[in-house]
Amino acid sequence: MAVGGLYAALSAELALIVAASTAVSYYWRHGCQHATLRLVATPSFAARPWAAQRAGAACLLAFRASCATVWITVMVSAAQEGDSRIYLFFTTWNYLLQATYFVLSAVAGARLLWKPHWALLETRAERALARAVWALFSVCLPSSVMVTVVLWGVLLPATLRSGSSAAIDAMLSASSFAQHLVNTILLMLDFAVNHMLVDTSTLVLVVCWNVAYVLFEWVAHSMSAKWTYFFRARRTQLPAA
């Protein structure tokens, strides 16, 4: 199949996935649409007394603020190395999105603790913040799990077979562990204690996030004639008739 035909087939496939995801999200109108500061900023095991709820929210805030600090530190350290190609990788895209989630979720927690305990009404900005936190988490968690599985299950074995010491060292570096394992563990820990569910209504966001990277990769390839990852479509030479 010609390259143009391959791209057309992949485009049609991705368009179909997006359409199906949109249809599913239309019939499952839950999740982030009903998010509130209390839901996104308090742990699921919070006790009934008001003081215990505040203490749980404070602990969750401290955890998320610590994660945000770690994420930002790792990204700043990677940027100081001067290799701009890191921003071509899907790992970096997800890591930046995760940093955004932890920052906004920490802001939501701080806002909830700052409000008087009797203030049940929320402003439009607070509801928008809560929905953004819920939507970000719904994208970050499955994407992080996928990236972790792909790196340790696909990329690492291929790199080990290649015998490239530089590539192996980069894949087994502290930065790699932080972006491909530690982040997933901490997101799963957040998932274990928070009120948020990865709802079907946010499936369209997960798909669009992945499709956006695919489109970006095609544009980057058209400009540099290089693929960021080694797994790509290969041309096959058909025998002459």
Side-chain angles (χ1 to χ4, degrees):
M1 181 182 293
V3 176
L6 177 62
Y7 280 7
L10 288 175
S11 299
E13 179 183 358
L14 294 174
L16 179 62
I17 293 174
V18 171
S21 301
T22 304
V24 170
S25 67
Y26 178 82
Y27 289 104
W28 293 79
R29 295 180 177 178
H30 302 289
C32 64
Q33 291 188 357
H34 302 287
T36 65
L37 285 179
R38 191 174 298 279
L39 282 178
V40 304
T42 56
S44 59
F45 53 80
R48 290 180 179 272
W50 170 76
Q53 293 182 17
R54 303 268 300 185
C59 292
L60 187 57
L61 169 59
F63 169 76
R64 288 171 170 172
S66 300
C67 289
T69 302
V70 171
W71 261 247
I72 294 173
T73 301
V74 171
M75 290 308 306
V76 169
S77 176
Q80 288 178 344
E81 295 177 359
D83 186 5
S84 59
R85 290 195 74 254
I86 63 172
Y87 297 102
L88 296 177
F89 291 93
F90 192 51
T91 293
T92 305
W93 280 42
N94 281 284
Y95 209 70
L96 290 172
L97 197 71
Q98 294 162 20
T100 304
Y101 161 72
F102 279 116
V103 169
L104 291 184
S105 62
V107 171
R111 176 61 181 171
L112 177 65
L113 290 173
W114 180 83
K115 291 167 65 71
H117 71 278
W118 61 85
L120 300 178
L121 297 179
E122 294 183 344
T123 65
R124 182 177 299 179
E126 290 172 341
R127 288 195 298 270
L129 174 61
R131 292 177 181 180
V133 170
W134 199 309
L136 281 171
F137 182 74
S138 298
V139 176
C140 288
L141 180 62
S143 298
S144 180
V145 172
M146 181 190 70
V147 169
T148 298
V149 170
V150 169
L151 180 114
W152 301 114
V154 178
L155 296 179
L156 180 60
T159 302
L160 293 175
R161 287 194 299 268
S162 71
S164 173
S165 57
I168 294 174
D169 291 342
M171 198 160 292
L172 298 179
S173 65
S175 176
S176 178
F177 275 99
Q179 298 183 53
H180 299 102
L181 183 61
V182 175
N183 61 332
T184 303
I185 294 175
L186 292 178
L187 281 168
M188 292 296 292
L189 180 59
D190 194 316
F191 178 60
V193 301
N194 67 34
H195 276 290
M196 295 183 290
L197 299 175
V198 180
D199 194 83
T200 313
S201 62
T202 57
L203 177 62
V204 63
L205 301 177
V206 179
V207 173
C208 287
W209 173 248
N210 287 269
V211 169
Y213 178 77
V214 171
L215 296 176
F216 169 81
E217 177 67 4
W218 285 353
V219 173
H221 172 69
S222 66
M223 297 176 65
S224 64
K226 296 180 180 179
W227 294 104
T228 304
Y229 293 96
F230 68 86
F231 38 89
R232 61 189 185 277
R234 295 185 178 181
R235 301 181 185 181
T236 56
Q237 186 70 31
L238 296 179

